[in-house]
Amino acid sequence: SRFLQKILSNSPPTQTEIDLILQIITINIEEVICDYYGNYFLQKFIPYCSFKHRISLYSFIKPNFLFIANDICGNHSLQSLIMFQNSKEEENIIKECLENNLETLTVGANSSHVVQKVIKAVKEPNRDYINTYIISNLIDLCLDSHGVCVVKEFIDNTQSECYIKAVVSIFEL
């Protein structure tokens, strides 16, 4: 892993090399992304990936998203991938992965960091499904040691008057 990371740092890979690397790692993406050293390699590799490459990574990660998000190593690579998202297609894939799993993801020791990263990386109007979930479960999230961190990130990254008023009114009650 360190050798491969050093190669990436010294000489950025060509698109053909990125295609080849993706072809190799996607065969066992869950093992690579959740491996202590594979995780570090992926974090260094993701910045070189184009939109097409990131979509490819998401398509291989998506079936195991919940497992990877909860993994102590896998969640770091997911966070890196999420930080580089810059398209509606990527946001839609992230939404598909998170939307029906927010109850588990927001309170997981590792997965809560993934949710926090989505709150940071995705524009507020495009994460209404997360915002609505947080408002609906605000008290329970605040009483959970991991959930409260998600709430903090939500509050720090919310500018919508309606969400701010909702938080204040729930806290007033």
Side-chain angles (χ1 to χ4, degrees):
S1 173
R2 284 188 186 178
F3 174 73
L4 292 173
Q5 289 176 55
K6 194 172 229 169
I7 289 173
L8 286 176
S9 297
N10 292 336
S11 175
T14 65
Q15 292 302 302
T16 305
E17 291 167 334
I18 293 172
D19 289 338
L20 180 61
I21 292 169
L22 278 176
Q23 188 178 8
I24 293 167
I25 64 173
T26 54
I27 294 168
N28 297 309
I29 191 67
E30 189 177 323
E31 291 175 32
V32 173
I33 204 169
C34 293
D35 180 77
Y36 185 78
Y37 298 105
N39 156 56
Y40 281 113
F41 169 74
L42 279 174
Q43 288 183 62
K44 295 285 186 188
F45 176 68
I46 289 169
Y48 297 105
C49 292
S50 66
F51 165 75
K52 178 186 90 165
H53 296 124
R54 291 191 309 273
I55 293 294
S56 176
L57 273 171
Y58 277 119
S59 70
F60 283 97
I61 289 169
K62 189 176 171 182
N64 301 304
F65 186 89
L66 193 58
F67 175 80
I68 293 168
N70 279 297
D71 185 78
I72 195 163
C73 294
N75 82 84
H76 294 288
S77 293
L78 273 181
Q79 290 179 65
S80 292
L81 185 58
I82 289 164
M83 283 309 291
F84 280 94
Q85 66 77 34
N86 63 5
S87 70
K88 190 66 176 163
E89 291 88 347
E90 289 169 295
E91 287 179 355
N92 287 338
I93 293 170
I94 292 167
K95 180 180 181 181
E96 289 171 21
C97 292
L98 264 65
E99 195 168 32
N100 295 320
N101 296 304
L102 283 168
E103 186 175 345
T104 303
L105 292 168
T106 54
V107 296
N110 298 307
S111 60
S112 63
H113 297 288
V114 173
V115 177
Q116 290 174 60
K117 198 60 76 173
V118 172
I119 291 169
K120 260 188 198 174
V122 175
K123 293 178 184 88
E124 189 174 1
N126 299 336
R127 58 179 163 83
D128 277 339
Y129 64 101
I130 296 175
N131 301 345
T132 303
Y133 176 83
I134 291 171
I135 294 296
S136 300
N137 297 279
L138 189 64
I139 301 301
D140 290 336
L141 289 170
C142 286
L143 295 174
D144 182 86
S145 62
H146 304 294
V148 74
C149 296
V150 172
V151 171
K152 180 192 177 307
E153 199 65 54
F154 167 74
I155 290 170
D156 287 347
N157 289 281
T158 298
Q159 296 176 353
S160 169
E161 186 96 12
C162 118
Y163 290 125
I164 294 167
K165 284 181 180 179
V167 169
V168 170
S169 69
I170 292 168
F171 285 154
E172 284 176 341
L173 293 173

